[in-house]
Amino acid sequence: MSAMFGSNPEAIFHFHSNLLLDRARTETLHRAIADAVRPGDVVLDLGSGTGILSFFACEAGARRVYAVESGDVAELSKLLCVANGLQDRIVVLNHSSYNVVLPEKVDAIITDTFHTFGLQDGLLGSIIDARRRLLKTDGTIVPRSIELFVALVELPDVYRRFDVWTAAQYGFDFSPGREFATNNLYSIPVEADVFQKAWLGPPGSLIHIRLSDVETSNVGGQATLTTTRSGVMHGLGGWFAAELGDGNVLSNSPDIRTVSWKYAFFPLDRPMMLGVGESISVRIDTCDGATWRWEVERAGGSARQRTTFRGFPWSAEGFHKLSPGYAPKRTPIGDAELFVLGLLDGHRMITDLEEELRRRYPEQFSTPESAASFVQDIAWRCS
C-alpha cells in the first residue's frame, strides 16, 4: 500500500477533535491571538493542524497566514480554509518548518505544539529556527515563554505497571524489560485532586524558557524539593505553564487547568522511602523534547538517573548508525530508490517507473505489487 493511503484517519480525527473540544485550551489561545495579532499582520502558524489558530489570526485582522503542518491533516486544513472563505488569506504548507522558505518576514509566530511536560519533540528547535529565519526583528511569538514544574510523587497504582516486567508471566521471564520500562517518560491520566494528593511536598519550578531569546534546543534545569510528609516516592510528576501574553496562560497545572491534558511521570528505577523534611535534588534535561534525562539525589546519598535514551533496546547496528563517525553506504534498496529518483522527470508516469524498476531490479521487486508500493512511496515523498 502506498504512503498516500498509509495514514491513520481515525487517529487524526480523534486527536484533533479532542483539541477542538478542549474549550478552555482553545478559548485561551483565541484570546491570546486576538491580543497579539494586529490588522495587516503576516503570521506563521507552526504545527497548524486543522488551522484553528490560523482562523483566529485572520479573525484578528491578519493579512496573510502561513500555516505549516507536515502531516496528512494539512489536506483537511486546506478544505476547512475553503469552507470558511479563507483560502486567499491562509497558505497551507505541508512541509517541515525547517524546509519552508517564505516570500516575506512574518510579524508573529503562533504555535500550540505542546506536550504534557511542555516541550513536544522538536518544538524548541523549530521555534528557534523560525525565529531566526522568518520572524521580523520586532516580531511577536505566542507563547512568550514556557515554564516546567516538578513534584515528588507517590503513585502506587501508576507504578504497578512496572510489576508486569518483574514477575514471571505465563511461566516465562520478562524481567529484562523492566530496565527499559523505567527509562521512559509517561503521560498519566489521573484526576487533579489525586495528582495533588500524591505530592510528598511542595512542587518547584525547574526551568523558565523565554522563546524570544532561547538559543539552544537542549535545555535543562534543577530544583531542590523538601518533603512535608513521609511516603514512598515512585518518581517525579511534571506539568507546564505557557505564558501566551497579557495574562493568558496555557497550563495543565492542577491549579490552573486551561488544558485538559494528562500529567508527566518520570519513574524511578526503584521506589524510595522518604521521611518528613528530607531534601531531594532533582535535575531534568532534554534534547529538544526528543530524549529526556532525569536525576534524583537524596541529601547525603548517591544520584539515581534514568534516561529515555535507554527506553527501548537498540540493535547494535542501529546504534552505530547514529554515531557521528558512521560512514553510510547505500544498500541495494538505496540504489533502487536512487534509480527511481533519477527517473522523476515530469514525463514518465507511475506505471512506466514501476516497469523500469522491475526491469532493473528483478530480484528485489519480483511482483508488480512490490514495485508499485515502492514507486508510489517515493513519488509521494519526493515529488
Side-chain angles (χ1 to χ4, degrees), residues 124-292:
L124 272 185
S126 62
I127 290 178
I128 292 171
D129 172 71
R131 186 192 73 205
R132 290 172 176 169
R133 294 191 304 112
L134 307 173
L135 183 65
K136 292 179 180 177
T137 305
D138 59 348
T140 300
I141 302 177
V142 178
R144 293 177 180 174
S145 65
I146 303 172
E147 190 168 9
L148 308 183
F149 297 87
V150 68
L152 314 176
V153 293
E154 182 176 27
L155 289 166
D157 291 340
V158 172
Y159 200 81
R160 284 193 188 97
R161 71 175 63 194
F162 303 116
D163 291 344
V164 68
W165 304 109
T166 302
Q169 300 294 334
Y170 309 100
F172 296 95
D173 181 13
F174 278 71
S175 61
R178 191 180 191 283
E179 172 66 17
F180 298 103
T182 57
N183 272 295
N184 277 282
L185 165 60
Y186 293 89
S187 296
I188 53 173
V190 298
E191 296 298 325
D193 59 337
V194 174
F195 186 61
Q196 285 183 302
K197 288 177 182 177
W199 298 352
L200 292 170
S205 173
L206 191 74
I207 185 173
H208 186 261
I209 305 165
R210 287 177 51 84
L211 299 182
S212 60
D213 51 30
V214 61
E215 292 297 334
T216 176
S217 58
N218 299 331
V219 297
Q222 185 167 340
T224 299
L225 306 178
T226 303
T227 60
T228 54
R229 70 175 180 88
S230 61
V232 178
M233 177 185 171
H234 293 104
L236 304 172
W239 61 96
F240 78 96
E243 181 199 354
L244 306 181
D246 298 324
N248 290 305
V249 177
L250 195 69
S251 177
N252 59 340
S253 162
D255 294 322
I256 301 175
R257 300 296 292 173
T258 48
V259 293
S260 56
W261 293 353
K262 303 171 184 178
Y263 301 105
F265 178 61
F266 298 87
L268 295 182
D269 56 339
R270 298 179 310 280
M272 182 187 297
M273 185 67 198
L274 299 177
V276 178
E278 293 211 47
S279 180
I280 305 294
S281 175
V282 174
R283 173 94 199 171
I284 297 181
D285 299 278
T286 182
C287 179
D288 206 4
T291 58
W292 294 85

Side-chain angles (χ1 to χ4, degrees), residues 28-85:
T28 301
L29 288 162
H30 192 179
R31 290 192 299 271
I33 292 170
D35 290 339
V37 176
R38 300 160 299 183
D41 274 357
V42 178
V43 176
L44 171 62
D45 182 0
L46 277 179
S48 53
T50 58
I52 183 64
L53 302 193
S54 297
F55 300 165
F56 291 157
C58 288
E59 185 181 60
R63 170 176 61 84
R64 175 80 68 216
V65 180
Y66 296 99
V68 177
E69 174 60 59
S70 59
D72 293 332
V73 72
E75 301 307 312
L76 173 62
S77 179
K78 292 175 184 178
L79 294 177
L80 297 175
C81 287
V82 173
N84 289 278

Side-chain angles (χ1 to χ4, degrees), residues 305-371:
Q305 302 174 354
R306 301 275 90 186
T307 172
T308 57
F309 190 72
R310 289 180 50 81
F312 205 78
W314 291 71
S315 69
E317 180 184 12
F319 188 80
H320 179 58
K321 288 181 178 180
L322 294 179
S323 168
Y326 174 66
K329 181 181 179 181
R330 281 200 313 271
T331 64
I333 289 298
D335 287 335
E337 180 154 340
L338 185 62
F339 173 72
V340 173
L341 287 172
L343 298 177
L344 303 185
D345 58 5
H347 300 291
R348 291 183 176 90
M349 294 190 298
I350 291 290
T351 52
D352 299 328
L353 299 175
E354 293 168 3
E355 291 175 4
E356 291 282 353
L357 179 66
R358 292 192 65 201
R359 188 177 299 114
R360 180 68 175 268
Y361 299 96
E363 292 185 2
Q364 287 92 340
F365 303 95
S366 58
T367 65
E369 291 78 13
S370 62

Side-chain angles (χ1 to χ4, degrees), residues 5-25:
F5 302 105
S7 62
N8 187 338
E10 179 184 0
I12 291 173
F13 281 104
H14 178 75
F15 176 74
H16 288 283
S17 62
N18 282 342
L19 292 180
L20 292 171
L21 290 171
D22 192 343
R23 300 199 66 84
R25 163 252 180 204

